[in-house]
Amino acid sequence: MVDVSPFANRLGKNIKHYLKWARRQGINAWRAYDRDVPQFPFAVDFYGERVHLQEFDTGWLMPDDEHEAWLAEVVEAICFVTGFDKSAVSVKTRRRQKGENQYEKTGEEGEDFVIEEFGQRFWVNLDTYLDTGLFLDHRNTRKRVREEAAGKRFLNLFAYTGSFTVYAAAGGAVSSETVDLSNTYQAWSRRNFELNGLDLDAHRLVRADVFQYLDDARAAGKQFDLIVMDPPSFSNSKKMLEILDVQRDQERLIDGAMALLAPGGTLYFSNNLRSFTLEPALAERYAVRDISAQSVPEDFRNKKIHQCWRIQHRS
């Protein structure tokens, strides 16, 4: 039997520290444990009165029955520390993967429920998909977008469930386009927009391949004052016209977005590929600032969960 007390102790300390912080911030979705103890390679996220437990693939070889028993002990420890019932804990095992697995169904049927973050509200689901509907590590950038959005035309590329657009609209963006290729996520965005009272005439949902959208929007002479682009590391979705590789395609993506950016405007570009390096040529063409140190929230011990840049035209 594995001793889970080091995990339980650290989780308890972290909850004590972050619970007050989260309440002060006005957020009820946050990370309580981030692979703090190497023998327990988990992320533990609170979504209101629910827990999202992700086990990360370390390459360890453990017989299935042993692994199940170990996982059950970890869930038991979470219930002991939090006082939650087992039914409140959703368990995911994240394998090293490529492609569109992040968008695939898990085979489980979970319930949708609403969480709050800095005064905005979002639908999440901890069971049905590998991801929950809200990337918690982009919380700081969402807030930054809200602070900068007043009077702006906003563009959200690879929009997922539209959370950046919700923040932009709350900050006073006069219009927006929210671009994603997935029908599932466009429908989810619409529900998030309705939940937050967005005017669907001013804030348009556009189902499109981003590469194609960039070409078409440029040809149409579209201009935006604030753009967010958070592409997946890699995607070979059958719906896409071509395979996306963020390291290889970064110049095409950023140049395409910058062609739509009005003078004085700002592009926020981020991704979560750990090995990603920004092409030096981009810093020669544009004014580029790495804001990752500010964009990764303090409840994330893993400061490499994403990288984020603020990119503007050189004046």
Side-chain angles (χ1 to χ4, degrees):
M1 190 68 72
V2 177
D3 179 14
V4 296
S5 58
F7 167 76
N9 291 339
R10 178 58 66 92
L11 178 63
K13 280 180 186 166
N14 289 358
I15 290 171
K16 194 173 177 185
H17 173 70
Y18 284 117
L19 190 56
K20 290 177 187 166
W21 166 84
R23 283 180 181 149
R24 279 199 310 272
Q25 297 275 323
I27 57 178
N28 69 354
W30 48 281
R31 180 151 291 190
Y33 175 93
D34 198 6
R35 290 181 267 192
D36 300 47
V37 181
Q39 293 85 350
F40 296 92
F42 296 97
V44 179
D45 295 323
F46 279 83
Y47 286 80
E49 298 295 302
R50 301 276 305 275
V51 172
H52 190 239
L53 172 67
Q54 300 174 77
E55 180 196 359
F56 290 89
D57 184 6
T58 58
W60 298 344
L61 294 175
M62 198 186 289
D64 286 353
D65 54 344
E66 271 183 42
H67 179 257
E68 271 181 43
W70 179 63
L71 208 50
E73 288 278 314
V74 168
V75 171
E76 197 69 52
I78 291 170
C79 295
F80 176 76
V81 170
T82 62
F84 290 174
D85 190 78
K86 267 185 205 168
S87 61
V89 183
S90 299
V91 182
K92 306 258 182 71
T93 298
R94 298 196 78 106
R95 301 285 173 205
R96 292 193 181 90
Q97 58 206 6
K98 285 193 169 184
E100 57 175 347
N101 292 13
Q102 69 206 57
Y103 301 121
E104 286 180 0
K105 291 198 170 190
T106 59
E108 302 285 327
E109 281 306 320
E111 59 173 349
D112 296 350
F113 62 99
V114 174
I115 63 95
E116 294 197 12
E117 181 186 88
F118 299 138
Q120 311 308 142
R121 303 172 76 215
F122 299 98
W123 286 104
V124 295
N125 185 310
L126 305 191
D127 298 301
T128 307
Y129 300 91
L130 288 177
D131 288 313
T132 64
L134 191 67
F135 292 125
L136 302 185
D137 60 300
H138 286 301
R139 189 191 308 124
N140 289 354
T141 310
R142 287 192 282 271
K143 190 178 181 188
R144 185 188 280 253
V145 162
R146 186 171 67 183
E147 289 162 358
E148 296 179 9
K152 306 275 177 71
R153 296 162 294 176
F154 179 65
L155 175 61
N156 187 358
L157 298 166
F158 301 101
Y160 189 40
T161 59
S163 57
F164 275 110
T165 309
V166 167
Y167 270 85
V174 292
S175 63
S176 71
E177 294 197 5
T178 297
V179 183
D180 200 281
L181 192 53
S182 163
N183 282 323
T184 300
Y185 292 128
Q186 288 289 49
W188 202 323
S189 291
R190 180 179 291 276
R191 292 171 66 222
N192 279 335
F193 289 6
E194 290 166 351
L195 186 62
N196 289 274
L198 271 63
D199 175 357
L200 289 170
D201 289 330
H203 299 285
R204 292 184 54 232
L205 290 157
V206 180
R207 182 174 174 266
D209 174 284
V210 167
F211 287 127
Q212 188 67 53
Y213 174 87
L214 291 171
D215 291 344
D216 292 348
R218 185 175 189 175
K222 288 185 178 180
Q223 290 269 280
F224 299 91
D225 308 295
L226 185 59
I227 302 175
V228 168
M229 179 160 52
D230 179 39
S233 301
F234 181 90
S235 180
N236 58 1
S237 165
K238 296 179 187 69
K239 295 175 194 161
M240 287 180 69
L241 300 174
E242 52 198 295
I243 290 169
L244 167 71
D245 178 325
V246 73
Q247 182 66 50
R248 181 194 66 204
D249 297 328
Q250 58 177 293
E251 288 192 70
R252 186 178 166 197
L253 288 168
I254 290 170
D255 286 341
M258 294 301 285
L260 305 179
L261 188 68
T266 300
L267 164 67
Y268 288 107
F269 172 76
S270 63
N271 70 81
N272 63 356
L273 177 64
R274 287 193 74 133
S275 60
F276 183 86
T277 53
L278 196 72
E279 289 293 345
L282 289 165
E284 291 170 16
R285 286 202 283 286
Y286 312 115
V288 177
R289 187 156 66 92
D290 186 340
I291 61 165
S292 308
Q294 294 83 48
S295 66
V296 176
E298 64 180 91
D299 48 325
F300 280 77
R301 199 178 72 87
N302 171 18
K303 298 304 176 190
K304 293 184 176 175
I305 187 136
H306 72 241
Q307 297 179 74
C308 187
W309 289 267
R310 191 171 196 255
I311 304 175
Q312 296 174 305
H313 291 298
R314 291 194 177 278
S315 49

